[in-house]
Amino acid sequence: MAMAALRREGRRFLLSSNPSPVVARSAIFSEESSAPLGARGVSTQVVRNRMKSVRNIQKITKAMKMVAASKLRAVQVRTENSRGLWQPFTALLGDAPSVDVKKNVIITISSDKGLCGGINSTSVKISKSLFKVTSGPEKETKYVVLGEKGKVQLMRDSKNHIDMTISELQKNPLNFTQVSVLADDILKNVEYDALRIVYNKFQSVVQFLPTINTILSPEIVERESEAGGKLGDLDSYEIEGGETKAEILQNLAEFQFSCVC
């Protein structure tokens, strides 16, 4: 009796330790059905949903490209049309970056937002190089920074040399009236012999040319004109009206700065 009971217990142990192939196979399929996305067990419905989602994103991106291209074209037309204002003044008053003066103001123009390549960093690098060139023992050089990105970069190592900062200029489309008020505000708060405007001149959608425009104060323009320097041709023009030469130069300098800025 004892031997028979032992045999029955042995057969029961073997059956419990070796499950049937049917049970083992069903367990494998249950594991595959619960596999994560990306495994072999992904259903075709999941793939279809993913493809549909990608197509919807492509449609949204295409619409955003069309809107951006339309805005860029409008800004490009305004930029090209505005060049007819300041180019005659450059021909009249000249652009003399090599004129040696004691008080220099570097106006760095940047944007308030990023994601525009190296435009802002290029303006800051040129401004720093220009600061080194125009600085000296008997000279004073200050910064006026337009745009939040230029302000953040120059505040790191040139905080003591920043005279004025203006940001949030691009919330609304700029026009000449707004720029004139901005230029007048700058001229009232800084003392200068020469304004060095650093900006990126638009060439094409993928190309911007780093540019420096120099605007001299009326006193320096008159001094250079009398000395027969690069601005010596100014006296060849006929001046009408009751204004003096100094007043006319002051008005021209302010208007030129508004146009270039």
Side-chain angles (χ1 to χ4, degrees):
M1 293 292 292
M3 293 298 293
L6 184 60
R7 292 191 190 96
R8 285 196 299 271
E9 290 294 329
R11 285 195 298 270
R12 191 178 298 129
F13 177 78
L14 291 174
L15 289 173
S16 62
S17 61
N18 295 315
S20 64
V22 176
V23 175
R25 187 174 181 183
S26 62
I28 293 174
F29 278 117
S30 64
E31 291 179 357
E32 289 183 355
S33 62
S34 62
L37 294 178
R40 289 186 175 181
V42 177
S43 64
T44 56
Q45 184 62 37
V46 174
V47 177
R48 291 195 192 97
N49 292 339
R50 183 65 61 84
M51 294 173 63
K52 184 178 179 181
S53 176
V54 171
R55 284 195 293 267
N56 291 336
I57 293 174
Q58 288 178 341
K59 292 179 181 178
I60 296 173
T61 306
K62 185 177 180 180
M64 293 174 64
K65 286 182 179 179
M66 294 175 64
V67 173
S70 176
K71 290 183 178 179
L72 176 63
R73 181 58 184 170
V75 174
Q76 181 178 349
V77 170
R78 289 203 304 268
T79 302
E80 293 174 350
N81 292 337
S82 66
R83 292 178 180 175
L85 285 173
W86 58 266
Q87 286 176 344
F89 286 94
T90 302
L92 173 62
L93 300 177
D95 189 356
S98 60
V99 174
D100 188 21
V101 296
K102 292 183 178 181
K103 294 182 179 181
N104 290 279
V105 176
I106 301 174
I107 300 177
T108 305
I109 299 179
S110 63
S111 64
D112 290 323
K113 298 180 181 180
L115 299 178
C116 53
I119 290 178
N120 296 319
S121 58
T122 300
S123 296
V124 172
K125 288 179 182 178
I126 294 176
S127 299
K128 290 181 178 179
S129 300
L130 190 59
F131 182 87
K132 294 178 181 179
V133 173
T134 56
S135 299
E138 298 181 356
K139 296 181 180 180
E140 181 184 5
T141 303
K142 294 289 185 179
Y143 287 110
V144 172
V145 187
L146 306 183
E148 187 66 26
K149 290 299 179 179
K151 171 187 172 183
V152 170
Q153 295 186 40
L154 286 173
M155 286 286 284
R156 295 171 186 170
D157 52 3
S158 304
K159 183 178 181 180
N160 296 330
H161 301 290
I162 297 178
D163 206 14
M164 185 178 181
T165 61
I166 302 174
S167 57
E168 297 184 359
L169 294 174
Q170 284 119 7
K171 281 189 173 181
N172 299 314
L174 292 175
N175 52 38
F176 184 74
T177 303
Q178 295 172 334
V179 175
S180 299
V181 173
L182 174 64
D184 186 61
D185 188 26
I186 294 174
L187 293 176
K188 287 180 179 179
N189 289 279
V190 298
E191 295 181 1
Y192 72 97
D193 291 330
L195 297 173
R196 318 278 185 177
I197 305 174
V198 180
Y199 65 99
N200 288 275
K201 185 178 179 180
F202 178 83
Q203 297 291 324
S204 66
V205 178
V206 295
Q207 184 181 10
F208 289 82
L209 180 65
T211 307
I212 301 174
N213 280 348
T214 303
I215 298 178
L216 303 176
S217 66
E219 295 80 12
I220 301 300
V221 171
E222 191 169 2
R223 185 194 72 183
E224 291 293 317
S225 178
E226 293 175 355
K230 295 183 178 180
L231 306 177
D233 295 335
L234 186 62
D235 291 331
S236 61
Y237 293 90
E238 182 179 354
I239 299 176
E240 296 182 356
E243 295 181 338
T244 63
K245 184 178 179 180
E247 293 174 342
I248 292 175
L249 290 175
Q250 179 70 34
N251 295 333
L252 289 176
E254 293 177 358
F255 190 72
Q256 182 187 15
F257 178 54
S258 301
C259 293
V260 175
C261 188

